[in-house]
Amino acid sequence: RDKLVTGVQTCALPIFRPGTDNIRWVRISVDAGDSTDYGKVRGGNWNQLQANLQWLKALRHQKRIERFSLNFVVQKDNLNSLKSFFQMASELEADEIFLSPLLDWPHMKTSQMEISEFDRSREILQELLQKNWPFQVAGNFSPWNIPNQWEQEEISANQIT
């Protein structure tokens, strides 16, 4: 059994047909917490995304997949929906969310955060990480000077200070 990392809108959902149990961990790149930001960063159909995520949630309940994770690359175009993303992950009963800042790729300069946006993203993350979420929070927190303790087994978000 393998791990699948994808944007769920482009995912070949038939891989989960009855009798096929080859995927144990699904990690979906969402990068938004609302339809507006999803349109900016992914250009996809938010309603279709939500339907597919609900379907994956059902597969998790059926134990067809062992782990269900969501990715969020923090950038200026999705910063406003970071809190909504955490709430969405909770409602979807995700096992984990994985956060990282947008790396400095030359072809993506328009999404880079300015210093004030970066500082605001650190404040939002620190606030969110103080809450007791029902999922593990993982990611690259070093650019925000937030300790990277997520590698420990069974860590909850409220243990990250």
Side-chain angles (χ1 to χ4, degrees), residues 23-68:
I23 305 293
R24 65 176 177 84
W25 181 6
V26 177
R27 178 179 280 175
I28 305 299
S29 296
V30 177
D31 300 329
D34 62 37
S35 62
T36 301
D37 286 359
Y38 189 71
K40 289 180 196 173
V41 299
R42 287 276 176 180
N45 182 317
W46 179 256
N47 293 330
Q48 183 63 56
L49 170 72
Q50 293 303 307
N52 290 346
L53 292 174
Q54 289 296 327
W55 180 75
L56 289 168
K57 175 184 173 180
L59 288 180
R60 178 72 174 96
H61 279 266
Q62 298 165 12
K63 302 196 184 312
R64 300 265 319 274
I65 55 176
E66 297 171 13
R67 195 158 179 84
F68 175 37

Side-chain angles (χ1 to χ4, degrees), residues 11-18 20 55 64:
C11 172
L13 298 180
I15 62 172
F16 291 103
R17 66 185 173 273
T20 305
W55 180 75
R64 300 265 319 274

